[in-house]
Amino acid sequence: MWIALSDPSGSRFSPQGLGAGPDAPAVVSTGPDALLARGTLMIETRLPPINRPRGLLTYDRGGMIPLHLSLQALPGGGLVFVLDQDGEMLHGSINATETGRTDILRVTYSWDAPARWGRLSLERPEDNVVQTVMVDKPKPLPIADLRALTGDSGLATMAPEVLFAAVSTEIEPVGPMPSLSPQTPILTPRGYCPAGRLQRGDLVRCANGQDVPVLQRIERVVPALGSFRPMTLKAPYFDLAQDVELASFQRVVLRGSVVEYMFGTEAVLVLSAHLTGVKSAAAFPSDPGPVVRYVQVLLPGNETLVAAGTCVESLYIGRIRRNPDRLAASLLAGYERSRLPEHARPMHRVLPPFEAVVLAETRAA
């Protein structure tokens, strides 16, 4: 349950959980000594162009038991996460030199103090690149500090490059994520069916006309900011029969004579976020709410789904089943490894931002 959310424009905290009704029971205590023994702190940011280290998110609280938390950007591309609780320091870093300046980086720190276990994950959401540092004997974090970190306490400093910081009472997964609204119409042999109603074993009709079985349907509630912020692709653009809502990292299949002429291939994959440069074809809602629910389906060969007339990529998981630690940290944890498929590479070439925008504008013209 997400309880706190902050971005440069403001912050929200709810002991009942973000998005919960006013009469919902509290999931955390708000007393001065209350602790969150198990939970997750998630931060999304972009890398600023710098020639010396720069703080992106910093929180300092003194007193008899001081606490310091910081996320720092390094010259040349990199992030350093530091958590110092009463002299015991957690430190993790990621080398992001292979990413572009506009790429989003996500830091996910999860801890389970009673189980004496924790995990710091640093990832690039757009391509499922994940680096993980295991944490031994993490301490509980005070609710008051988590509220101050994501609020207007004056103890926290957030740079403009930070897209959001959020706190959950659960151990949040990392890795492949769902990216379709549950209401998205997905083509099946019997017609269109909302994505949120598809079940394991159901058949979906793919873009090539073949019917393939759904291996798993996964879903997740996430903060409605950063890479998770929902966006709308508008009909009749992209061959849509109706508007559809999806996450900005959902990849859309574009094909046709323009694609063949420009790239010498039948079809390409374009991140939804890169379609916002097309006038009137895509837009972000002004107020999506604090959290959003997404779903996706896992297919044997990463086949292409037909969603309201346009083609979108199904869940791409790569070869995650070969890595027990990554699998255990993902939404697919608990599924039998032998029954998970391997996706060697995406079905089509993934276009970089500039090429994606040029193609989308050419098709929409």
Side-chain angles (χ1 to χ4, degrees):
M1 179 75 70
W2 297 97
I3 59 172
L5 180 61
S6 177
D7 68 357
S9 67
S11 60
R12 306 186 194 191
F13 175 83
S14 173
Q16 292 81 21
L18 297 175
D23 298 327
V27 296
V28 294
S29 171
T30 56
D33 299 324
L35 298 173
L36 190 60
R38 183 176 186 269
T40 294
L41 171 64
M42 179 185 291
I43 305 166
E44 277 198 2
T45 186
R46 300 185 189 277
L47 285 179
I50 53 175
N51 54 20
R52 61 181 179 178
R54 177 181 171 187
L56 297 173
L57 179 64
T58 303
Y59 175 77
D60 272 299
R61 190 256 300 149
M64 295 185 62
I65 306 177
L67 186 146
H68 166 84
L69 183 148
S70 67
L71 181 66
Q72 188 177 62
L74 302 178
L79 287 176
V80 174
F81 178 84
V82 176
L83 174 60
D84 187 347
Q85 291 180 268
D86 193 24
E88 294 188 18
M89 183 174 293
L90 162 68
H91 178 280
S93 62
I94 184 172
N95 183 350
T97 55
E98 298 179 0
T99 67
R101 289 296 182 185
T102 59
D103 289 348
I104 294 175
L105 301 177
R106 183 184 303 146
V107 178
T108 305
Y109 172 54
S110 298
W111 68 94
D112 190 335
R116 303 166 70 85
W117 170 92
R119 178 180 68 226
L120 175 65
S121 299
L122 305 153
E123 57 185 322
R124 300 199 301 260
E126 293 183 358
D127 54 12
N128 286 330
V129 173
V130 181
Q131 296 182 24
T132 300
V133 177
M134 301 309 296
V135 179
D136 186 36
K137 302 177 183 177
K139 292 184 175 182
L141 285 173
I143 296 290
D145 284 316
L146 293 170
R147 184 172 187 173
L149 171 67
T150 55
D152 56 359
S153 64
L155 300 176
T157 302
M158 182 180 291
E161 290 82 7
V162 177
L163 301 176
F164 73 83
V167 177
S168 169
T169 60
E170 303 294 331
I171 303 296
E172 295 291 337
V174 296
M177 292 291 154
S179 47
L180 297 175
S181 165
Q183 290 75 42
T184 304
I186 301 298
L187 186 61
T188 75
R190 297 184 178 182
Y192 281 100
C193 175
R197 291 174 51 189
L198 292 172
Q199 301 290 334
R200 175 179 170 83
D202 289 346
L203 294 178
V204 293
R205 180 153 293 172
C206 300
N208 60 7
Q210 292 183 337
D211 296 336
V212 299
V214 173
L215 301 182
Q216 303 290 348
R217 187 198 78 218
I218 66 170
E219 58 183 81
R220 188 184 179 197
V221 175
V222 290
L225 290 172
S227 66
F228 296 121
R229 185 177 180 182
M231 61 177 294
T232 303
L233 295 186
K234 299 183 178 181
Y237 297 96
F238 315 113
D239 304 317
L240 284 166
Q242 68 179 71
D243 294 354
V244 295
E245 188 175 272
L246 33 70
S248 60
F249 58 89
Q250 170 66 53
R251 294 195 284 223
V252 178
V253 181
L254 298 183
R255 62 180 75 240
S257 58
V258 175
V259 172
E260 294 180 10
Y261 175 76
M262 293 179 65
F263 305 105
T265 185
E266 176 188 1
V268 292
L269 289 168
V270 176
L271 284 172
S272 297
H274 299 156
L275 300 176
T276 56
V278 183
K279 185 178 180 180
S280 302
F284 290 107
S286 57
D287 185 14
V291 294
V292 60
R293 181 182 297 275
Y294 289 123
V295 303
Q296 250 295 8
V297 293
L298 178 64
L299 303 181
N302 185 221
E303 289 87 354
T304 299
L305 298 166
V306 179
T310 198
C311 297
V312 298
E313 185 183 38
S314 60
L315 185 69
Y316 175 75
I317 65 170
R319 292 173 171 169
I320 193 172
R321 75 173 190 173
R322 298 190 182 189
N323 188 322
D325 292 334
R326 281 201 62 193
L327 180 60
S330 76
L331 277 169
L332 298 170
Y335 294 120
E336 188 177 340
R337 290 174 59 190
S338 62
R339 302 180 71 177
L340 293 176
E342 288 194 7
H343 300 153
R345 60 179 60 86
M347 286 285 290
H348 306 290
R349 175 189 170 192
V350 181
L351 293 188
F354 176 76
E355 292 182 351
V357 171
V358 171
L359 173 61
E361 289 179 339
T362 301
R363 281 173 49 94

